[in-house]
Amino acid sequence: MNKELQTVFHYHETTKHAQQRYARSLGYMDWASQPDPFRNYNGCETIELPIALENATPPYHLLNTDLPPAPLLKESLSQLLQFSMGIAAHKESGGSSWAVRCNASSGNLHPTESYLVLPPIMEEQNTKTSILHYTPQNHGLEKLSEFDTSFWDNLPKGSFLLGLSGITWREVWKYGERAFRYTNLDAGHAWQSIVVSAKMLGWKVTRLDSTSDTDIGTLFGLNQKTRFFEHEHADMLFVVSPSHVESSLRIDSLLENVPLSFNGIANKLSSQMQSWDIIPAIENATSVMQIAQQNTTQNHMLKDATQESKTVVLNRRSIHIMHTDTSTITQEEFHTILSSVNTSLDAKENAVHLALMVHRVEGYKKGLYILVRNDRDLINVQEHMHNDFLWNKTELNNLYFLEEKDVTMASKSISCSQDIASDGAFSLGMLCNFSEQLNAHGAHRYKELYWECGMIGQELYLEATSLGLSGTGIGCFLDDMMHGMLGIKDTRFQVLYHFTIGRGNVDSRIMTKPAYNRK
Ligand SMILES: Cc1cc2nc3c(=O)[nH]c(=O)nc-3n(C[C@H](O)[C@H](O)[C@H](O)COP(=O)(O)O)c2cc1C
């Protein structure tokens, strides 16, 4: 095993939560050093984007059909960003206020930043390609660089690039050593938010999976260290396009034209930082990519008529109190939610399966179930779990009944004693094909596994919202307690994220204010 993979296995083991020992963190909130959730580049030209709230968007159930692509204009681009990475509302309670966004983020400090590479569309008479940073706080863009390139000749008209990066410090501040996990789960949430928002415009999002982190960093100026106080790392690069683009598309001809130095100095996010040696170690080990994976086809179910997609996206919220008496859901709702994540979300092989703890679903016995999202893993998952599990097929394709039992208390204990895990309709652990994927694809795959889990999480939030239900991502869980319940004894399969769905209340003391005070 190479050094990078050893670092990954070590990091994963070290940052497990257990009843006797939670992963290391400061253990309290050092409010004086709380990082700013908004990044700005001081000293560069800014562009205000029009607010897209009045734009008509397709019904949510039509998002997986082929919708006619919108033209690439400032207005459509603005809609894409507002309904994915933008602010959804401001909340106010007890004298404090905070912004909530369309994409979920553990701790709400949003480690994920977004960047664009745009062909000349923003201003008339401008023939230059620009690199821009999205600023959700004022729904605007900051122009970091401008240059000429013939790169766009290789792409369908109306295409552009969108990239995501991460500032792990925003998660480290709260979660200490486990923060790398949260940062990458949040990145997955952001990715799926962008996919969904692009679908509203009939656009396709393709991750360029052979572009290295180094090249993405160069493209967005993240390698220009003197412009940053806190480290910001490259994550993903997408082509957003009206039609299909190969994920192997190369960006060399673009990189040749990118200037060496950009405008703007990144704002300092905190007065001081804690340092945890394990964080730069895992960031470095997972920054080098090995092999691109195979594409698979997508096959989504057409659902019943629903509300406008922007309403679903803007109303997605995490719920912190579930109600046992109203959380029972119908079999149809259960199937709709699970079907939305049964197929591949990022057009790649699925490595993540859902181990379900069912509490209150009509037509389903209480107990343990598993949704195997990739047939290829079925035999292996069976071999690695308790050998007295039933493996009875259910009415939903790929969903197996494993064991009848009341798993409410287990669900709560596994989720760091959080009631939301036991008081809803069901909760679940995302069980990943772990050591095999890492050994086959290298250490970078560790990040990608979290991204897949985050995408599933964002989709579950949206499905629940569209059905009038509630959901919450659960990053705090006792890893090996969950493995113990499933009978998993080694690292062939590991849970990387949990989620709960039911009916909950938003705290009525919290007031909601508009996201942006302009049209
Ligand atoms: C990766 C991840 C892990 C999370 N873990 C928990 C958790 O363990 N418990 C909890 O109550 N909320 C959890 N949340 C919900 C966040 O607290 C919530 O997303 C954040 O406060 C922003 O609120 P919003 O989702 O309503 O926008 C998690 C969210 C994400 C994305």
Side-chain angles (χ1 to χ4, degrees):
M1 190 188 295
N2 66 31
K3 210 160 62 51
E4 285 76 23
L5 273 180
Q6 282 175 23
T7 305
V8 167
F9 283 106
H10 170 73
Y11 174 82
H12 188 68
E13 224 31 60
T14 307
T15 56
K16 281 181 172 172
H17 281 332
Q19 240 164 347
Q20 327 74 307
R21 181 201 172 275
Y22 274 47
R24 290 203 312 156
S25 70
L26 214 51
Y28 62 92
M29 302 293 173
D30 175 19
W31 295 113
S33 67
Q34 186 184 25
D36 189 336
F38 296 108
R39 158 126 294 165
N40 284 107
Y41 284 93
N42 298 315
C44 54
E45 185 191 331
T46 57
I47 300 165
E48 196 173 80
L49 291 169
I51 300 297
L53 224 45
E54 302 297 321
N55 296 12
T57 55
Y60 184 73
H61 73 284
L62 288 183
L63 286 189
N64 288 320
T65 59
D66 266 335
L67 296 167
L72 175 57
L73 303 168
K74 195 175 180 178
E75 287 70 22
S76 46
L77 192 66
S78 165
Q79 178 180 315
L80 173 82
L81 292 167
Q82 188 178 346
F83 297 155
S84 55
M85 304 300 285
I87 292 178
H90 282 99
K91 300 281 175 182
E92 259 182 40
S93 177
S96 52
S97 72
W98 64 98
V100 285
R101 309 194 199 177
C102 295
N103 57 317
S105 162
S106 34
N108 202 30
L109 285 178
H110 289 271
T112 313
E113 295 288 327
S114 26
Y115 294 83
L116 298 173
V117 186
L118 282 189
I121 61 150
M122 298 302 271
E123 292 124 316
E124 277 171 34
Q125 281 129 27
N126 186 356
T127 55
K128 304 257 183 222
T129 285
S130 30
I131 297 184
L132 304 129
H133 170 245
Y134 176 56
T135 52
Q137 193 169 22
N138 64 344
H139 191 52
L141 294 169
E142 296 172 325
K143 196 182 281 182
L144 305 178
S145 188
E146 252 188 343
F147 55 96
D148 291 311
T149 178
S150 59
F151 171 71
W152 305 111
D153 300 346
N154 307 324
L155 286 165
K157 192 173 175 325
S159 304
F160 61 98
L161 301 184
L162 196 161
L164 297 181
S165 65
I167 304 172
T168 314
W169 163 239
R170 288 201 180 118
E171 297 291 305
V172 171
W173 173 77
K174 186 168 181 190
Y175 300 108
E177 293 195 339
R178 200 168 155 102
F180 179 82
R181 297 174 174 225
Y182 290 98
T183 307
N184 285 290
L185 288 170
D186 284 10
H189 277 271
W191 179 357
Q192 184 63 8
S193 305
I194 290 162
V195 168
V196 170
S197 191
K199 282 181 185 173
M200 294 184 207
L201 293 155
W203 292 348
K204 299 188 177 10
V205 176
T206 309
R207 180 173 155 242
L208 298 184
D209 53 16
S210 46
T211 308
S212 68
D213 290 17
T214 308
D215 284 349
I216 301 173
T218 305
L219 190 58
F220 298 122
L222 306 179
N223 59 346
Q224 297 166 31
K225 298 289 174 212
T226 53
R227 294 169 59 240
F228 295 89
F229 293 97
E230 294 86 3
H231 177 61
E232 183 173 331
H233 65 264
D235 275 332
M236 308 164 210
L237 183 66
F238 310 108
V239 178
V240 185
S241 177
S243 52
H244 175 76
V245 171
E246 289 299 328
S247 63
S248 55
L249 179 95
R250 300 199 54 90
I251 60 159
D252 309 50
S253 66
L254 179 65
L255 285 173
E256 278 166 18
N257 304 122
V258 172
L260 289 176
S261 95
F262 285 10
N263 298 325
I265 304 289
N267 59 336
K268 194 168 195 284
L269 303 176
S270 289
S271 51
Q272 60 197 45
M273 280 202 283
Q274 313 149 27
S275 84
W276 298 93
D277 292 347
I278 203 167
I279 295 289
I282 185 70
E283 284 188 329
N284 288 336
T286 53
S287 65
V288 180
M289 192 179 283
Q290 264 187 8
I291 311 160
Q293 297 102 40
Q294 290 297 306
N295 281 7
T296 55
T297 49
Q298 301 200 22
N299 175 22
H300 288 285
M301 208 166 98
L302 191 60
K303 293 169 279 176
D304 291 342
T306 49
Q307 49 198 321
E308 250 197 90
S309 37
K310 71 176 176 196
T311 313
V312 174
V313 160
L314 292 168
N315 287 321
R316 180 211 63 76
R317 288 280 67 79
S318 298
I319 288 295
H320 301 291
I321 302 168
M322 291 278 185
H323 293 302
T324 45
D325 44 347
T326 57
S327 268
T328 303
I329 62 169
T330 63
Q331 183 167 316
E332 200 186 340
E333 287 169 330
F334 187 53
H335 288 177
T336 303
I337 293 169
L338 293 184
S339 300
S340 73
V341 293
N342 204 352
T343 49
S344 174
L345 296 176
D346 68 340
K348 293 282 173 296
E349 59 176 333
N350 295 335
V352 180
H353 313 291
L354 308 186
L356 297 135
M357 290 156 273
V358 170
H359 314 313
R360 297 169 192 90
V361 178
E362 284 171 4
Y364 276 84
K365 290 181 178 147
K366 284 172 183 260
L368 281 178
Y369 294 76
I370 186 161
L371 185 77
V372 181
R373 295 176 64 248
N374 188 334
D375 285 345
R376 183 208 56 196
D377 279 344
L378 181 60
I379 306 266
N380 272 314
V381 181
Q382 284 173 331
E383 281 173 359
H384 280 79
M385 285 189 170
H386 286 306
N387 49 23
D388 54 356
F389 277 161
L390 298 170
W391 287 97
N392 290 345
K393 285 191 169 175
T394 67
E395 278 183 38
L396 186 73
N397 207 11
N398 304 332
L399 179 68
Y400 299 87
F401 178 41
L402 301 179
E403 187 180 15
E404 181 175 359
K405 67 175 178 183
D406 185 337
V407 273
T408 45
M409 282 324 291
S411 198
K412 175 174 165 171
S413 308
I414 287 165
S415 303
C416 300
S417 304
Q418 300 185 78
D419 292 323
I420 43 171
S422 55
D423 293 353
F426 67 98
S427 73
L428 59 91
M430 299 188 198
L431 185 69
C432 300
N433 177 336
F434 194 73
S435 56
E436 186 194 60
Q437 286 285 316
L438 291 172
N439 287 323
H441 300 296
H444 192 274
R445 187 82 178 118
Y446 189 49
K447 299 212 289 185
E448 296 170 17
L449 292 175
Y450 283 109
W451 297 346
E452 186 175 342
C453 292
M455 292 184 88
I456 294 172
Q458 187 69 18
E459 188 62 27
L460 290 173
Y461 267 119
L462 295 179
E463 283 304 311
T465 310
S466 80
L467 295 168
L469 300 169
S470 315
T472 303
I474 298 183
C476 190
F477 57 88
L478 310 185
D479 306 61
D480 286 339
M481 187 187 273
M482 179 68 175
H483 296 144
M485 187 170 72
L486 300 173
I488 286 169
K489 295 190 186 69
D490 59 27
T491 57
R492 180 68 170 76
F493 292 93
Q494 294 280 285
V495 275
L496 300 189
Y497 191 22
H498 278 236
F499 206 90
T500 179
I501 288 187
R503 271 194 186 84
N505 264 11
V506 182
D507 188 336
S508 57
R509 290 164 302 178
I510 299 179
M511 301 225 308
T512 300
K513 296 268 173 74
Y516 300 104
N517 288 323
R518 61 185 169 88
K519 290 264 178 215

